Amino acid sequence: MVRLGPLAAARRLLPAGPAGGWRSLSRSWPLRPPGPVGDRGLLSRQARAAAGSAGGGRAPPLKTPKGTRDHPPAHVALRDRLLAAVVACFKRHGAAAIDTPVLELQVPFARYLAMNKITNMKRYHVAKVYRRDNPATTRGRYREFYQCDFDIAGQFDPMIPDAECLKIVHEILSDLQLGDFLIKVNDRRILNGVFAVCGIPESKFITTCSTVDKLDKMPWEDVKSEMVGEKGLSPEAADRIGEYVQLHGGLDLIERLLQDAKLSQNKLAKEGLGDMKLLFEYLTLFGIAGEISFDLSLARGLDYYTGVIFEAVLLQQENEHVEEPVSVGSVAGGGRYDGLVGMFDPKGRKVPCVGVSIGIERIFSILEQRVEASGEKVRTTETQVLVATPQKHLLAARLKLISELWGAGIKAEMLYKKDPKLLKQLQYCEDTGIPLAAIVGEQELTDGVVKLRDVATREEVDIPREKLIDEIRRRLEP
Amino acid sequence: MVRLGPLAAARRLLPAGPAGGWRSLSRSWPLRPPGPVGDRGLLSRQARAAAGSAGGGRAPPLKTPKGTRDHPPAHVALRDRLLAAVVACFKRHGAAAIDTPVLELQVPFARYLAMNKITNMKRYHVAKVYRRDNPATTRGRYREFYQCDFDIAGQFDPMIPDAECLKIVHEILSDLQLGDFLIKVNDRRILNGVFAVCGIPESKFITTCSTVDKLDKMPWEDVKSEMVGEKGLSPEAADRIGEYVQLHGGLDLIERLLQDAKLSQNKLAKEGLGDMKLLFEYLTLFGIAGEISFDLSLARGLDYYTGVIFEAVLLQQENEHVEEPVSVGSVAGGGRYDGLVGMFDPKGRKVPCVGVSIGIERIFSILEQRVEASGEKVRTTETQVLVATPQKHLLAARLKLISELWGAGIKAEMLYKKDPKLLKQLQYCEDTGIPLAAIVGEQELTDGVVKLRDVATREEVDIPREKLIDEIRRRLEP
């Protein structure tokens, strides 16, 4: 039912601002209003303001807040299918679900682990999150969107949880049949090692990372000139970096770098390469190494990453004559962050973590475009049977029958008319994709049967009333 | 993975306040950070503040914002079961799902209908909502909570959608096996008629409503003195109201009031009573009239209700010697609001609506207490098989086998240790409720079998590798 907008409630919870109020309760909790100065008072003001406009005053702004949008039934139906596939994968891997307040004082998962002194947890979290952003809503970027996170926290043997995170990305992207994809992997320790052996001072590691990260969108020459011009690296140092970060491959590349005269002398890089080798062994056992690329240009800017980092990109489908597949956008990413929980723990106790976020909104955009292009009609309801009558004065018969269907767990609808025309009822089935119509007319009532109609074939069969439920279930079997 | 708290993002979307920032993205969207002044910059500040505390500085506040809480896996597992039952019922009745922004400029559903010029829709909406409230968190009241709404919008024949809303409440409360319940029904037009024939001026209808609404918690004498003392009604008028609002019953009471000398002269009351009669006829056809009480004390304060109003209460279970069952709390409520959408439509076009909210949080509290009292352990994961090894150096065998199980859609876990002890692995099954262990040792690898162990009975059988999936599926059949 009605969710009130700008409740005083919300304004206290969060100070009022230009973006307006918050969706909140009305008839729900408290089911009875708190009194004359409670919700009701506020609704009245709201309603009066709106009512005033209907009478010729200022119209209330009929829009959603900047950077947000409504999700009509076709959206939600598709999104729910997507979320269900993602959650099914997380559950298949034994994750438990947690939920933390949308409004946070701290970094949620790190805060959650530190506050509850949890040192060991495999969990997922699917929820709406918020960001500032000058919303480029045309490109599918909104201020309110879903985030799907999976994380493994705990002290374990190297690269086993990390490999599982990559397996999860692989499973989800395969399940969703999004087409070819590539998962790029790198390690913060390898990147730092590369920067160190190229003579970059440690203070410039992070900023150099963010420039390296642009190599998938810019040619090396542009990246180099940003390094030299904006970041203050020497051209020689930039060239030395360039020799490494343009490399990508698999186990062979890892082996080569382990033999690299300079890198093999760097402790961090050696550690990182050793673990990368282990990771590829595990990915091979999982049968997914073919879709994974060890890519030294992958940097991912967030500076809390401490080990493996990864990102999944969809590959261009249409033009098959390109030499190398072109990325059409990241759809998942993550990495290892062993230091973050310790930063939030009062005693600095560390909890190593590795995790992944699935870019559900971008995947949604892709699937939505595909559905639109195909002209396929997404059903927004799951109704299986319409209960219909061919004559007047049969509302009672419809109410009785539909009640029996609901009682048997069958998804059923009827038109909210006392005496609807049969044609209208059948049209409703076609419009909304209801596969069966259960028709009770005077003759059927006399005969103790129900006419079951297959909406697609228009075939009708009389079914004895007591066998109707079984027959409907039989017809609905996949 | 990590959700950042006080992002600049959130602070722009909503002005910063004492409650802090917003959970938001980190590794997700943009999967690459927007640059050195983006998320990363903010994280660094956050991380530095926290890291400082670990080094002896001020500790970051390890708590959730006032009136909110974390939901650990046992909570979420129970809540998801509840929400699934509610959503299943909404879908069974043919509703489509919509989603509107949490942050709203207007009353969401009315705004949604008016903005999209929708005159006809059956929809549900399950989402988190927010309220101000001096949080009495001990009584299960929080500022962040779930709301489950079902509404039917459109111009239809009288009381058919209204009856379906009551049927939905009945189905949900029955499905959840919460014990005995009662659904109270009244109609705003009847209440207004009562007030009118008792000589109350129209300006006092709303405030009188809110006093009448207290009759379920206060004796009539106290309600009367509030009417007279605080609301300024004459004692005689209050007494006249008292004669009506203490009545409750079924069709018989409706018939009696239709014959009432005063009420039958009031146009609104007559309309309301006529529709109430129709409603009870439909409820009888649905087979649920026994749990519905026409109760003239039910008022529900929100002043946008225009017709039928209702509220479901759970009845006390323990003490069966009480003469009349005592309510232990409202768990659902709603009603008809035919004027609200028109108030938000620039041209004042009306869309009649009736809807219901399920009080999922109160139901959750009740079920949670029941689970706690029973000592029943709620499983927080759905893992079906633990892949285990009895000897060292068999990590590769586990990785290969678990990958096969995941590929077949089986929910499987393994410990993230290279060489875990078998006892530890079996203990993990018992601790987390995993029913099966698939054990591969050296002998099993040689023989091409897997030892399948029933964790409860400790029975073990060697299964040929190629028959393992089928055997696991067979064992997991309900």
Side-chain angles (χ1 to χ4, degrees):
Chain A
M1 195 178 163
V2 180
R3 288 162 194 252
L4 294 186
L7 273 188
R11 277 185 299 188
R12 179 70 64 90
L13 182 61
L14 280 160
W22 283 82
R23 184 177 68 201
S24 188
L25 78 165
S26 57
R27 69 179 167 215
S28 69
W29 305 110
L31 279 174
R32 288 156 191 275
V37 290
D39 301 358
R40 189 160 48 85
L42 197 108
L43 173 70
S44 301
R45 284 199 298 282
Q46 177 78 12
R48 272 196 296 274
S53 78
R58 272 172 307 176
L62 278 181
K63 59 180 185 182
T64 62
K66 189 178 173 191
T68 68
R69 59 175 166 171
D70 287 325
H71 298 277
H75 258 215
V76 179
L78 184 59
R79 192 186 68 194
D80 283 355
R81 256 196 262 162
L82 259 180
L83 289 177
V86 171
V87 167
C89 178
F90 293 163
K91 286 186 174 174
R92 195 160 60 235
H93 287 260
I98 69 162
D99 191 19
T100 58
V102 163
L103 187 73
E104 264 290 350
L105 303 165
Q106 297 293 336
V107 179
F109 186 50
R111 195 264 312 146
Y112 180 84
L113 293 176
M115 185 170 143
N116 297 290
K117 299 191 174 58
I118 295 167
T119 55
N120 192 322
M121 178 175 225
K122 176 154 58 170
R123 80 91 171 85
Y124 70 91
H125 190 179
V126 173
K128 279 186 177 176
V129 294
Y130 301 85
R131 66 172 157 215
R132 179 183 67 192
D133 205 0
N134 279 323
T137 52
T138 46
R139 288 188 291 124
R141 290 180 60 84
Y142 289 87
R143 287 184 171 183
E144 177 180 62
F145 60 101
Y146 266 92
Q147 184 160 321
C148 299
D149 295 336
F150 173 94
D151 293 83
I152 301 169
Q155 184 68 59
F156 302 116
D157 281 328
M159 308 317 279
I160 310 179
D162 313 60
E164 186 168 11
C165 286
L166 293 171
K167 178 79 170 87
I168 281 174
V169 172
H170 195 281
E171 283 182 20
I172 289 173
L173 298 182
S174 305
D175 282 356
L176 294 175
Q177 299 180 297
L178 294 167
D180 292 341
F181 58 87
L182 184 70
I183 306 174
K184 300 177 186 176
V185 189
N186 199 358
D187 191 296
R188 259 308 157 77
R189 293 165 296 174
I190 299 175
L191 266 185
N192 285 351
V194 165
F195 296 155
V197 305
C198 294
I200 310 300
E202 215 179 314
S203 62
K204 288 195 174 164
F205 279 11
I206 302 277
T207 183
T208 309
C209 254
S210 74
T211 304
V212 165
D213 210 30
K214 296 180 183 168
L215 253 181
D216 66 341
K217 296 204 186 78
M218 278 159 55
W220 165 246
E221 284 312 315
D222 295 351
V223 169
K224 181 184 167 185
S225 53
E226 183 175 315
M227 282 181 178
V228 176
E230 289 176 36
K231 306 297 171 79
L233 270 54
S234 72
E236 296 75 26
D239 280 335
R240 284 193 295 269
I241 292 175
E243 278 170 37
Y244 287 107
V245 297
Q246 293 180 80
L247 300 171
H248 54 91
L251 262 175
D252 51 337
L253 176 59
I254 300 168
E255 296 288 4
R256 211 172 82 208
L257 292 176
L258 275 167
Q259 308 303 324
D260 182 274
K262 285 184 287 178
L263 266 191
S264 60
Q265 302 305 308
N266 182 282
K267 189 172 164 282
L268 268 184
K270 227 175 128 185
E271 258 181 48
L273 286 165
D275 279 349
M276 189 60 74
K277 192 176 161 189
L278 208 52
L279 179 67
F280 267 82
E281 283 169 22
Y282 298 161
L283 298 175
T284 305
L285 288 163
F286 283 157
I288 61 170
E291 282 82 36
I292 318 270
S293 168
F294 171 39
D295 186 327
L296 279 95
S297 75
L298 180 70
R300 295 183 64 74
L302 299 169
D303 64 358
Y304 59 71
Y305 287 122
T306 55
V308 66
I309 47 178
F310 52 87
E311 193 168 303
V313 294
L314 297 187
L315 302 178
Q316 204 158 37
Q317 310 291 306
E318 273 116 305
N319 184 353
E320 286 176 323
H321 304 292
V322 288
E323 270 181 35
E324 203 153 340
V326 181
S327 156
V328 289
S330 304
V331 288
R336 176 162 283 284
Y337 53 104
D338 287 350
L340 200 61
V341 178
M343 289 179 183
F344 288 91
D345 185 282
K347 294 186 180 162
R349 278 169 297 219
K350 286 201 173 183
V351 179
C353 294
V354 63
V356 57
S357 270
I358 307 299
I360 198 76
E361 299 285 346
R362 196 165 291 181
I363 295 172
F364 174 80
S365 295
I366 293 165
L367 289 181
E368 197 189 15
Q369 280 168 22
R370 209 175 280 177
V371 168
E372 267 173 31
S374 75
E376 183 201 331
K377 210 180 158 186
V378 176
R379 275 200 78 183
T380 58
T381 63
E382 299 176 9
T383 309
Q384 298 162 325
V385 181
L386 186 83
V387 174
T389 35
Q391 296 105 12
K392 288 191 175 186
H393 312 301
L394 287 167
L395 174 59
R398 276 191 294 148
L399 290 171
K400 256 186 95 103
L401 179 56
I402 200 167
S403 188
E404 285 174 36
L405 299 185
W406 287 331
I410 291 164
K411 294 167 189 155
E413 282 186 80
M414 54 175 265
L415 299 197
Y416 299 125
K417 286 259 167 210
K418 262 166 69 182
D419 298 313
K421 295 222 164 70
L422 185 60
L423 201 66
K424 274 222 162 170
Q425 297 174 80
L426 298 177
Q427 189 60 46
Y428 183 80
C429 292
E430 304 214 350
D431 291 347
T432 61
I434 301 175
L436 295 172
I439 303 168
V440 269
E442 284 151 16
Q443 191 59 50
E444 286 80 12
L445 283 175
T446 309
D447 297 349
V449 298
V450 170
K451 206 180 277 306
L452 197 59
R453 179 186 173 108
D454 184 307
V455 175
T457 64
R458 303 185 177 189
E459 215 176 304
E460 295 184 343
V461 192
D462 281 354
I463 311 286
R465 183 82 173 220
E466 66 279 8
K467 292 188 177 159
L468 180 66
I469 303 285
D470 283 345
E471 176 62 17
I472 289 173
R473 284 195 184 129
R474 199 188 59 74
R475 300 246 196 143
L476 294 171
E477 266 167 21
Chain B
M1 196 178 162
V2 179
R3 288 161 194 250
L4 295 186
L7 274 186
R11 277 185 298 189
R12 178 70 65 90
L13 181 60
L14 279 161
W22 282 81
R23 183 177 69 199
S24 189
L25 78 165
S26 55
R27 70 183 165 210
S28 70
W29 306 111
L31 280 174
R32 288 158 192 275
V37 289
D39 300 356
R40 188 160 49 85
L42 195 108
L43 174 70
S44 302
R45 284 199 299 282
Q46 177 78 14
R48 274 196 296 273
S53 80
R58 272 172 304 175
L62 279 181
K63 60 179 183 182
T64 61
K66 190 178 173 192
T68 68
R69 59 177 167 170
D70 287 326
H71 297 277
H75 258 215
V76 179
L78 184 58
R79 192 187 67 194
D80 283 355
R81 257 195 262 162
L82 259 180
L83 290 177
V86 171
V87 167
C89 177
F90 293 163
K91 286 186 174 173
R92 195 158 61 236
H93 287 260
I98 69 161
D99 192 19
T100 58
V102 164
L103 189 72
E104 264 291 350
L105 302 165
Q106 296 294 337
V107 178
F109 186 49
R111 194 265 313 144
Y112 180 85
L113 293 176
M115 186 171 144
N116 297 291
K117 299 191 176 57
I118 294 167
T119 55
N120 193 322
M121 177 175 226
K122 176 154 58 170
R123 80 90 171 87
Y124 71 91
H125 190 179
V126 173
K128 279 186 178 175
V129 293
Y130 302 84
R131 66 172 157 215
R132 178 185 69 189
D133 204 358
N134 278 325
T137 52
T138 46
R139 288 188 290 127
R141 289 180 62 83
Y142 290 87
R143 286 184 173 183
E144 177 180 61
F145 59 101
Y146 266 92
Q147 185 160 318
C148 300
D149 295 336
F150 173 94
D151 293 82
I152 301 169
Q155 183 68 57
F156 301 117
D157 281 329
M159 308 318 279
I160 310 178
D162 313 62
E164 186 169 12
C165 286
L166 292 171
K167 179 77 170 86
I168 281 174
V169 172
H170 194 280
E171 283 182 19
I172 289 173
L173 297 183
S174 305
D175 282 357
L176 294 175
Q177 299 180 297
L178 295 167
D180 292 339
F181 59 85
L182 184 71
I183 305 175
K184 300 177 186 176
V185 189
N186 199 359
D187 192 296
R188 258 310 157 77
R189 293 166 295 175
I190 300 175
L191 266 184
N192 285 351
V194 165
F195 296 155
V197 303
C198 294
I200 311 300
E202 216 178 316
S203 62
K204 288 193 175 164
F205 278 11
I206 303 278
T207 183
T208 308
C209 254
S210 74
T211 303
V212 165
D213 211 30
K214 295 180 183 168
L215 252 183
D216 66 340
K217 297 203 186 80
M218 277 158 53
W220 165 247
E221 284 312 314
D222 295 352
V223 170
K224 181 185 166 184
S225 53
E226 184 176 313
M227 283 182 176
V228 177
E230 290 176 36
K231 306 297 169 77
L233 268 55
S234 71
E236 296 74 26
D239 280 334
R240 284 194 294 270
I241 292 176
E243 278 170 37
Y244 287 107
V245 296
Q246 293 180 79
L247 299 172
H248 53 90
L251 263 176
D252 50 337
L253 176 59
I254 300 167
E255 296 289 3
R256 209 170 82 206
L257 291 176
L258 275 168
Q259 307 305 323
D260 182 275
K262 285 182 285 178
L263 267 190
S264 60
Q265 301 306 310
N266 181 283
K267 188 171 166 282
L268 269 182
K270 227 176 132 184
E271 258 182 50
L273 286 165
D275 278 350
M276 189 60 73
K277 192 177 161 187
L278 208 51
L279 179 67
F280 268 80
E281 284 170 22
Y282 297 163
L283 299 175
T284 304
L285 289 164
F286 282 157
I288 61 170
E291 283 81 37
I292 317 270
S293 167
F294 170 40
D295 185 328
L296 279 96
S297 75
L298 180 70
R300 295 183 65 74
L302 300 169
D303 63 358
Y304 58 71
Y305 286 122
T306 54
V308 66
I309 48 178
F310 52 87
E311 193 168 304
V313 294
L314 297 187
L315 302 178
Q316 203 158 37
Q317 310 290 307
E318 272 117 306
N319 186 354
E320 286 176 323
H321 304 292
V322 288
E323 267 179 40
E324 204 154 340
V326 180
S327 155
V328 290
S330 304
V331 288
R336 176 164 284 284
Y337 53 105
D338 287 350
L340 201 61
V341 178
M343 289 179 182
F344 288 92
D345 186 281
K347 294 187 180 162
R349 278 168 297 219
K350 287 203 172 181
V351 180
C353 295
V354 61
V356 56
S357 269
I358 306 299
I360 198 76
E361 300 284 346
R362 196 166 291 180
I363 295 172
F364 175 80
S365 296
I366 293 164
L367 288 181
E368 198 189 14
Q369 281 169 21
R370 210 175 280 178
V371 168
E372 269 173 29
S374 75
E376 182 202 332
K377 212 179 158 188
V378 176
R379 274 199 79 183
T380 57
T381 62
E382 299 176 8
T383 309
Q384 298 161 325
V385 180
L386 186 84
V387 174
T389 36
Q391 296 106 13
K392 289 191 174 185
H393 311 301
L394 288 166
L395 174 59
R398 276 191 294 150
L399 290 171
K400 256 185 96 100
L401 179 56
I402 200 167
S403 189
E404 285 174 35
L405 298 187
W406 287 330
I410 291 164
K411 295 166 188 155
E413 282 186 80
M414 53 175 267
L415 298 197
Y416 298 124
K417 285 260 166 207
K418 263 166 68 182
D419 299 314
K421 296 221 165 70
L422 184 60
L423 201 67
K424 274 221 161 171
Q425 297 173 82
L426 298 178
Q427 188 61 47
Y428 183 79
C429 292
E430 304 213 350
D431 291 347
T432 62
I434 301 175
L436 296 172
I439 303 168
V440 269
E442 285 151 15
Q443 192 59 48
E444 285 80 13
L445 284 175
T446 310
D447 298 349
V449 298
V450 171
K451 207 179 276 306
L452 196 59
R453 179 185 172 108
D454 183 305
V455 175
T457 64
R458 304 183 176 192
E459 216 177 301
E460 295 184 343
V461 191
D462 281 355
I463 311 286
R465 183 83 174 219
E466 67 279 8
K467 293 190 177 158
L468 180 66
I469 303 283
D470 282 345
E471 176 63 18
I472 289 173
R473 283 194 184 133
R474 199 189 59 74
R475 298 242 197 150
L476 293 172
E477 266 167 19

